Amino acid sequence: MFVARLPYAANAQLTINANFDHASLLSWSGNLSTINLVGRDNFFGSNKWRWVYFKASGVLGSNPTFSINGNLFAGDATPGPHELRDHEMVYSYDNVNWSFFENNNKGDTNFTFSNSQAFTQNEVYVAYAIPYSYGRSASHTQKVLASPWAAPTASADNNGVIGQSPARNDELGRAIPTLDLFAYRITNPATDSPTEAKRKVFLTSGLHAGETLGTYTYEGLIDWLISDDPRAARLRDTTEFFGYPVLNPSGRFAGLSRSTVGNPTRDPNGLWDPSRWSSSSFGCQNDNCQDIRASGEAMLADFASTPGNIVDAFIDFHSTVPDYTIDPVNGIPDDFGFVASEDTNTDWWLALQQLQPNLLEFPSGGGNFTTAGFARRLLNAQTEITIETQFSWERPIEYYHDFGANFGIAFFQAWITQVEGDFTGDGLVDAADYTAWRDGLGTLYTVEDFSLWKSNFGTFAGAGAAASFAVTVPEPGGSFLLLAASLSLLGRFFLPTRPFR
C-alpha cells in the first residue's frame, strides 16, 4: 500500500487522490470551478511532466476546468510542445470505461480541459491517456496462464513469476511494494519436439511506465494468440511466443512517466546489457536495475530452454507523444515502428502493414543497449522492431486490441501455408468454409469466392504444401443461388475482396 505523503487536502467538497496503482500527480489547488494541477517531474528534469492520473471526489453536478502548465509538458517545441495542442485527456466514473474530455486547449502557457456538461457522479478518474495499471498486467497474466496454450517459461515459477522489483520509496517518499515480473510461453505443447525448433517470437511491453497504449496493443496480440481463432491454432502448431508483459513493474505501479523507481533519472531503454545491470556508472548499484536484470536474465534462459538458436521476431510495444500525421487512405492517425534497414522487407512486417495501413515505418536508431539491441546481440533476433502507438485521437481500447490481433494474423499470413477457399483459416477447405462464405456474402466475400471454395474443396495445407483428397462437392440450394446471382451484379461494384488468400 502507498504511504500518503503528498500535499493533497480536501477543499470544501473537493478531494483529489493519486495514491493508488499507476496514479500520478504532484499537487493541486483550486475549487470546483477551476482545478490547477502540477504534474510530477520524472526522468525529464526541469519540472517536466508527461503522465497524470488521479481520482477527484465531490464533483457531482460540478463542471470544473482542469489546468496544467502546458509549457512544462516534456516535448521539444517552444513555446510549449505541439503534442498538447491536439491532445485530449480522458475520464472515467468506474476506472474501467473511459471517455475523452470534450474541450482540450493548449494556450500560450496553460493546457486546460473540461466537459460541456457537469459530472453526473460524485467520483471521477482523470488521466493523460487510458491507464493500464500494474494490477491489470498481473491479472491478465493469470488469465493467460489459465489457457491450455500457455504455461510459465522455463525461468518462471508456477505463477509465471521470473523475479521481483525491490520495495523502495519513490521520489515523493511513498513506499512502493515488492512487485512481480512475469513471463509465459504460448504454443501448442502437443507439437513440441526435443530436437526440432519452432519459430521463436519474443514480445515485451511496459518498459516505459506511462506508455500504456502499447501495453493494450500487446494485450490484444496475446489474447488473439490464445483464442479459438483457427488461424491462431495453426500458428501455435509451429511457433512459440514468449511474453514479458511488464518490464518495469515499479515504475508502472508508482505512476512514473518513463523510468524505474530504483533508477529514476535514467531511461531504462539504455540498460539492456549484462555489464550494466550492476554498474554504478549507470546508476545500477544496489539492485537499482533489478527490474531490467530479472527480465534480461529470464529472456536469456528462456531462449536457451527450447531447440533453435535464433529468434525470428522480437517486438517491444511502446507508446509515444503524437506527431499527429494522418493516414490519407483511412483518415486516421498513423502509428509507427522503428525498423532496421535490413528488416524492412521481412515477410510478417509487410503483411502487418497491409493489415494496418496507417502503420508507418521509421529507421531504427540501432542502439546496442536498448531492448531491440539486446535481442539482436544476445538473442540472435532476425528481426527486432519497436512499435510506437500514438496517444489520443479518441481511439477506444478496442482499437489497440484489434491492432494487436493484426500482429498475430500477419504472422499467420507470412508463415502458414494457406489454401484459396479456406475462409476459416484452419488449413482445410470444407463445409465450414461454405458456411463462412454464406454468412459473409456481401460483406466479407463475393460470389466469385464460391468458385474458389468449390474448386479447392477437400484441399488442406499439410507438410508445408497444399494437398487434396477425393470428395464430393456440395452445391448451394436454388434459393440461395438466386440470392447469389443478385448479389453478383452488386459485387462487381463495391463488395470487398477476400480477407486473405
Side-chain angles (χ1 to χ4, degrees):
M1 297 293 292
F2 278 137
V3 176
R5 297 179 180 174
L6 301 183
Y8 301 150
N11 186 330
Q13 301 144 308
L14 176 64
T15 301
I16 289 182
N17 174 28
N19 285 318
F20 54 91
D21 183 358
H22 194 31
S24 182
L25 192 67
L26 179 62
S27 63
W28 69 278
S29 61
N31 50 47
L32 290 174
S33 175
T34 301
I35 302 174
N36 300 300
L37 308 169
V38 179
R40 288 165 64 185
D41 176 354
N42 170 247
F43 171 74
F44 298 100
S46 302
N47 297 316
K48 299 284 188 177
W49 65 274
R50 239 181 221 182
W51 178 250
V52 291
Y53 174 31
F54 58 87
K55 181 177 72 173
S57 301
V59 297
L60 176 64
S62 68
N63 188 18
T65 294
F66 297 90
S67 178
I68 297 178
N69 186 333
N71 287 336
L72 294 181
F73 183 81
D76 299 325
T78 303
H82 73 89
E83 293 93 344
L84 275 180
R85 295 190 185 277
D86 299 299
H87 185 72
E88 297 182 355
M89 302 289 246
V90 298
Y91 71 97
S92 171
Y93 291 119
D94 60 6
N95 209 20
V96 175
N97 301 288
W98 293 86
S99 301
F100 290 84
F101 277 95
E102 297 171 334
N103 309 308
N104 299 266
N105 299 289
K106 173 64 176 69
D108 292 337
T109 301
N110 285 356
F111 175 76
T112 60
F113 54 100
S114 63
N115 284 326
S116 299
Q117 303 297 321
F119 289 124
T120 59
Q121 297 189 33
N122 197 48
E123 293 184 347
V124 64
Y125 293 85
V126 177
Y128 170 74
I130 301 174
Y132 196 111
S133 68
Y134 167 78
R136 179 165 181 143
S137 285
S139 61
H140 185 256
T141 294
Q142 300 313 309
K143 169 192 170 182
V144 173
L145 290 175
S147 163
W149 314 117
T153 63
S155 65
D157 67 14
N158 291 336
N159 294 314
V161 176
I162 57 173
Q164 292 183 316
S165 174
R168 298 185 185 280
N169 290 338
D170 68 6
E171 87 282 7
L172 298 177
R174 302 180 306 174
I176 309 302
T178 298
L179 299 167
D180 294 329
L181 295 101
F182 304 99
Y184 39 75
R185 175 178 179 258
I186 297 172
T187 194
N188 180 1
T191 60
D192 284 349
S193 167
T195 57
E196 295 185 11
K198 292 182 173 181
R199 291 185 182 270
K200 293 180 191 280
V201 177
F202 275 62
L203 307 167
T204 62
S205 186
L207 179 63
H208 292 153
E211 297 180 9
T212 59
L213 303 181
T215 307
Y216 279 109
T217 307
Y218 168 95
E219 181 181 271
L221 170 54
I222 297 299
D223 286 347
W224 186 87
L225 290 174
I226 62 174
S227 74
D228 293 331
D229 189 307
R231 294 169 294 181
R234 292 187 64 202
L235 189 60
R236 291 191 298 260
D237 287 343
T238 61
T239 308
E240 54 183 353
F241 295 87
F242 296 86
Y244 304 84
V246 55
L247 299 181
N248 180 5
S250 64
R252 180 63 60 89
F253 190 91
L256 304 187
S257 172
R258 195 173 183 91
S259 66
T260 64
V261 172
N263 201 352
T265 62
R266 188 174 293 275
D267 186 344
N269 209 10
L271 300 174
W272 286 84
D273 185 84
S275 68
R276 299 189 173 193
W277 293 338
S278 59
S279 171
S280 59
S281 299
F282 298 97
C284 290
Q285 69 278 16
N286 302 320
D287 288 332
N288 285 346
C289 297
Q290 176 59 23
D291 313 62
I292 310 305
R293 179 177 182 175
S295 295
E297 290 179 343
M299 290 181 199
L300 292 172
D302 296 337
F303 171 68
S305 67
T306 61
N309 58 4
I310 67 170
V311 166
D312 295 87
F314 179 95
I315 308 172
D316 192 14
F317 290 88
H318 288 251
S319 303
T320 184
V321 291
D323 61 13
Y324 292 114
T325 57
I326 300 294
D327 172 60
V329 176
N330 296 284
I332 59 177
D334 292 311
D335 296 310
F336 54 89
F338 288 113
V339 185
S341 58
E342 62 270 22
D343 295 336
T344 56
N345 291 321
T346 300
D347 51 7
W348 67 267
W349 175 247
L350 295 175
L352 178 63
Q353 289 179 303
Q354 290 294 315
L355 292 165
Q356 197 78 27
N358 67 316
L359 179 60
L360 298 180
E361 177 180 289
F362 287 124
S364 171
N368 284 335
F369 304 116
T370 63
T371 53
F374 175 85
R376 182 177 60 251
R377 292 181 301 109
L378 299 179
L379 300 179
N380 198 17
Q382 305 301 290
T383 303
E384 65 280 351
I385 293 179
T386 301
I387 294 296
E388 300 279 2
T389 56
Q390 294 195 58
F391 285 109
S392 198
W393 284 98
E394 298 194 2
R395 291 168 166 169
I397 292 174
E398 290 73 21
Y399 168 84
Y400 303 100
H401 283 169
D402 291 344
F403 187 10
N406 278 342
F407 280 85
I409 297 170
F411 287 129
F412 168 81
Q413 292 183 351
W415 293 348
I416 305 299
T417 301
Q418 297 159 59
V419 182
E420 289 187 327
D422 175 20
F423 304 127
T424 63
D426 63 358
L428 173 66
V429 182
D430 60 6
D433 299 296
Y434 170 81
T435 301
W437 171 79
R438 180 197 65 197
D439 293 345
L441 182 62
T443 55
L444 292 175
Y445 308 115
T446 68
V447 173
E448 287 78 8
D449 287 321
F450 174 78
S451 297
L452 285 173
W453 171 80
K454 180 178 178 180
S455 62
N456 288 286
F457 188 84
T459 302
F460 65 94
S468 62
F469 52 91
V471 293
T472 300
V473 180
E475 293 289 348
S479 60
F480 194 78
L481 285 176
L482 179 62
L483 171 62
S486 301
L487 287 174
S488 178
L489 296 175
L490 297 175
R492 296 176 183 272
F493 298 100
F494 60 79
L495 290 182
T497 58
R498 294 176 290 280
F500 54 86
R501 291 282 300 277

